Amino acid sequence: MKAKLSRLIKTNEPKQVTVTPDDVEQAKWRERGGEILTFEQEWCVRLKQIYPLDETYHDYTFGEAKASLATSTHPFFQVDVPSEQVLFMDTETTGLRGSGTSIFLIGFARFQDDHLEMIQYVLPHPAFETAFYYHFLNDIGDEVRFVTYNGKSFDWPQIKTRHTFVRSKVKALPAVGHVDLLHASRRLLKPTLESVSLKAVEAHFGHARTDDMPGFLAPMHYFQYVKEREPDIIQPVIEHHHADCLSLVSLYKRLCHLVEADETPFGEERAHWLNDLGNAEAALQEYERLEQPTKRALMRQALLLKRTGQMEQALPLFEQVGTVEAFVELAKYAEHHQKDINRAITFTEQALTLSERKETVLRQTALTEMRALRHRMNRLERKRS
């Protein structure tokens, strides 16, 4: 009887619940509004924030940025998917490059019907990459266009590298396209700014960050967070990354405006850019609109006219430019199309005179140039005789 009573007492005792370190850490993330996403005994954190389209960020509303996705006329900024498949994406990593470098924070801003959603995925432990990439890839879909800042050269290659370690358990990488705003900033702002880092470009447009954590400190914060399992430690990195993604939305709108608006001072660069992209018709239209084109603009316009079979329109531009390269083009046309050897010799002599005047610092280039010109001159002289 005594033993039976003892068993009954033990049965009625409340069971002890074991609280693991993961439970404690996950509870802290939930207090911050984070979602705990699990996969195969691993977990990661998803943070989400919603912004109305009429909210202004760095001079433009999110709604204006969304409209630019559909209305941009410049080939560099055009996207061929619905706006909800365009991700303004950035990552934070434990280093710069290499297979030993891990991504511990991926995030993107993405437009929905009536709002912008900002989503971030946090890797709580380096061993949980499977859950991390499983949920990130499932959320973004099978085809996306990334708007990034150096993401084409850095962020996306890093994602592809890390994906190789987990690809047997997660879905394949999506079909992607890129609008890398670093390239646009370099084209438009490099002559003006010493640095075209995202922070420098923001400051140039009047939006310098004051309380932001320097990006190079992010790995240190992450390693300390992994050690102590305290989300407070990584919070400055999350805020820095959040600001980067939202800045991409605003910067996309601003750069679209710079290359498309008539009143901006980037008409010549706009023409060069269209030329480089192979859009000859649009580039020629832009060159025609320039009120005070530089010699570089005139030369590129002339070469484009030549390439599109409009050499008669290019001839006066080559004469106006009056450089070695321009005189060579005129000499070639006089020789091969006009069959005027004397005129070809005159243009070649003018090119030689200019080449001989070049500075000593360019001596080697000038010598190579003059050898080619003298070879042309000798050939023309033989033709004339």
Side-chain angles (χ1 to χ4, degrees), residues 3 13 37 40 66 122 124 149 183 200 209 212 226 252 255 260 284 302 379:
E13 287 180 356
L37 308 176
E40 292 197 351
K66 182 181 181 182
V122 183
Y149 209 82
H183 302 311
R209 300 190 197 181
D212 188 52
V226 171
Y252 174 85
L255 294 177
E260 293 174 353
L284 287 173
R379 183 171 53 74

Side-chain angles (χ1 to χ4, degrees), residues 39-43 102 123-132 162 166 222 226:
F39 181 73
E40 292 197 351
Q41 310 303 313
E42 298 178 9
W43 62 278
S102 294
L123 178 67
H125 191 283
F128 291 170
E129 281 187 305
T130 303
F132 185 62
R162 300 312 301 178
V166 298
Y222 177 65
V226 171

Side-chain angles (χ1 to χ4, degrees), residues 306-325:
K306 174 190 173 183
R307 192 167 71 244
T308 54
Q310 304 175 71
M311 190 62 180
E312 291 296 331
Q313 293 93 315
L315 293 177
L317 298 180
F318 283 131
E319 292 187 28
Q320 188 176 347
V321 171
T323 61
V324 171
E325 295 78 12

Side-chain angles (χ1 to χ4, degrees), residues 161-227:
T161 297
R162 300 312 301 178
H163 179 262
T164 60
F165 296 101
V166 298
R167 62 186 177 187
S168 63
K169 297 182 179 180
V170 306
K171 68 184 295 184
L173 293 172
V176 304
H178 297 270
V179 178
D180 197 326
L181 299 182
L182 173 61
H183 302 311
S185 296
R186 281 176 176 161
R187 274 196 170 268
L188 299 175
L189 304 174
K190 189 67 173 176
T192 306
L193 302 179
E194 292 184 7
S195 167
V196 287
S197 68
L198 182 57
K199 277 190 175 183
V201 171
E202 285 178 317
H204 173 71
F205 290 122
H207 302 288
R209 300 190 197 181
T210 54
D211 300 324
D212 188 52
M213 179 207 73
F216 68 87
L217 294 179
M220 181 188 72
H221 279 261
Y222 177 65
F223 291 133
Q224 191 67 22
Y225 154 70
V226 171
K227 180 180 178 181

Side-chain angles (χ1 to χ4, degrees), residues 134-147:
Y134 174 83
H135 289 287
F136 167 69
L137 293 173
N138 278 0
D139 284 355
I140 67 174
D142 296 325
E143 184 172 13
V144 297
R145 300 293 179 264
F146 290 123
V147 179

Side-chain angles (χ1 to χ4, degrees), residues 315-359:
L315 293 177
L317 298 180
F318 283 131
E319 292 187 28
Q320 188 176 347
V321 171
T323 61
V324 171
E325 295 78 12
F327 284 130
V328 168
E329 291 294 335
L330 290 167
K332 288 191 290 186
Y333 188 77
E335 177 187 0
H336 299 296
H337 295 272
Q338 297 174 324
K339 307 301 180 183
D340 190 337
I341 301 303
N342 288 329
R343 187 171 175 80
I345 288 174
T346 299
F347 286 133
T348 305
E349 287 174 341
Q350 290 176 292
L352 269 168
T353 300
L354 287 177
S355 186
E356 289 167 353
R357 292 176 186 168
K358 289 192 173 178
E359 298 292 333

